[in-house]
Amino acid sequence: MKKLFFFAAALMVSSAAMAVDVITVNQENYPTEADAKAGTAKTSVDAGAILGTAESIELKNAFATTYQRVGLNANAYVSLSLGEQEIIKADQWGIQGNDNPKDKDGGNPALTLLAPVQGAVFQIDAKADGYAYVFHKASSNKHYTVFELYNGEATALGYEFAMITCPAGKEALKSKTDWLAGIMCSDIITDSLITYSPSTDEDNYVNAPIEFPEIHMLKDHEKYGHLADSASIVKNGAYAQNGLGVIRFPVEANTSYYVNACGSKMSLACVALATAEEAAKLNVTVSDGTNVITLLEPVEAPAEGLFNATEAVKATKVIENGQVVIIRGDVRYNALGTVIE
């Protein structure tokens, strides 16, 4: 097997003081999925290998595994953008591991809420406070997890997930001849946007098993009934569509995070970190070249002072009753930036 110790391409969206940093993984030394199936050696990546670095963020491979290059194109959308910056072109490549993440007991981390200890898991090391973005080719029926690593403990962290599931133009469906043709997409394009956030406590820590993002199509019949009643759901019990997607979650400086898909492997394109000030301005959109659809709106501004780097009193993060509490002066915040009364 080819050994990979370090290679990456880091794209600085802001060349001045850090506002948004983007790391795009260099895929050139990975075999394609077709090559791997044909016998080309997959790329072996060591635990802790750095996949990319920028001023405010570093991307690593968490556990020793193998990776291959995979395509990101899943439908008629051609690009994904963070604010005005194009982040993904659908004809580019991402990387995907070959070992499913497992917890210490061999279980699914999304269901047990125990951190993975093996498999294809990406590690994000935040060097600044803000919000992390993980851009990938998403699946509507895969679990996704984010674990915060702090003081020797790993805790499942809440996140926002969004993906687009079908072509922007319904004309693309007319050429399909299989039984799925014409029933996989809504007549209203925004209904093909799937969003999901796991159940969390007031401190943004996950407090129930994580579900498939598409579960809303079964629970929210008013919005997704046209999909939940479709032949695909009846026959397969799953919508199971792919598309460009994003995961967003708050991060703290000098803290690490595991991000991965469960029951499968994440097809990663790139990661980014934005300051809270910038994240409050930036939406995430996809485009088919004509239509632009918003996946995520800008974040709501966190409580005043939490991410203020110019404030004289430095924030301190502590663990109280198993939860992260951020203390700045006499004010206490939870992990989402909400003041704790």
Side-chain angles (χ1 to χ4, degrees), residues 124-139:
I124 292 175
D125 292 345
K127 304 175 187 178
D129 298 331
Y131 289 84
Y133 298 77
V134 178
F135 301 102
H136 60 124
K137 179 179 177 180
S139 171

Side-chain angles (χ1 to χ4, degrees), residues 68-316:
Q68 61 196 18
R69 194 183 341 169
V70 293
L72 300 175
N73 188 21
N75 46 43
Y77 290 93
V78 298
S79 67
L80 180 150
S81 297
L82 177 62
E84 298 299 319
Q85 175 69 33
E86 186 177 65
I87 299 296
I88 298 177
K89 291 184 178 180
D91 60 356
Q92 76 184 61
W93 296 91
I95 61 170
Q96 182 187 67
N98 293 282
D99 301 309
N100 289 344
K102 301 289 185 182
D103 66 24
K104 62 182 180 61
D105 300 315
N108 182 337
L111 303 180
T112 65
L113 302 186
L114 298 175
V117 297
Q118 60 178 301
V121 177
F122 297 102
Q123 178 176 324
I124 292 175
D125 292 345
K127 304 175 187 178
D129 298 331
Y131 289 84
Y133 298 77
V134 178
F135 301 102
H136 60 124
K137 179 179 177 180
S139 171
S140 66
N141 72 329
K142 294 291 184 289
H143 298 114
Y144 294 91
T145 64
V146 175
F147 282 87
E148 180 185 67
L149 311 179
Y150 181 73
N151 201 27
E153 297 183 2
T155 309
L157 187 68
Y159 59 82
E160 299 169 274
F161 170 98
M163 67 175 292
I164 199 74
T165 64
C166 69
K170 303 304 179 292
E171 295 298 318
L173 288 176
K174 293 183 179 179
S175 63
K176 290 182 177 288
T177 57
D178 64 358
W179 60 272
L180 294 177
I183 61 173
M184 298 304 288
C185 294
S186 165
D187 291 333
I188 303 174
I189 187 59
T190 53
D191 281 353
S192 296
L193 168 66
I194 292 181
T195 59
Y196 171 74
S197 292
S199 173
T200 59
D201 61 22
E202 63 180 6
D203 296 316
N204 196 39
Y205 291 104
V206 179
N207 58 10
I210 294 171
E211 299 174 310
F212 291 160
E214 67 182 34
I215 198 69
H216 295 296
M217 291 188 298
L218 304 179
K219 291 184 176 181
D220 189 352
H221 194 274
E222 180 178 352
K223 181 175 181 181
Y224 293 106
H226 57 283
L227 296 175
D229 291 340
S230 71
S232 63
I233 296 292
V234 174
K235 182 175 181 178
N236 295 336
Y239 182 49
Q241 292 296 287
N242 297 325
L244 296 177
V246 60
I247 294 171
R248 180 175 66 192
F249 55 95
V251 298
E252 294 292 326
N254 304 313
T255 304
S256 297
Y257 302 84
Y258 288 158
V259 182
N260 60 275
C262 296
S264 185
K265 288 77 60 177
M266 176 176 282
S267 299
L268 180 71
C270 53
V271 298
L273 193 149
T275 62
E277 180 180 4
E278 286 300 312
K281 304 173 186 175
L282 299 172
N283 59 359
V284 179
T285 59
V286 291
S287 172
D288 65 348
T290 302
N291 303 294
V292 176
I293 305 298
T294 298
L295 296 186
L296 288 179
E297 297 286 353
V299 300
E300 295 183 6
E304 184 177 357
L306 177 60
F307 289 127
N308 186 353
T310 63
E311 187 145 321
V313 181
K314 181 176 176 60
T316 301

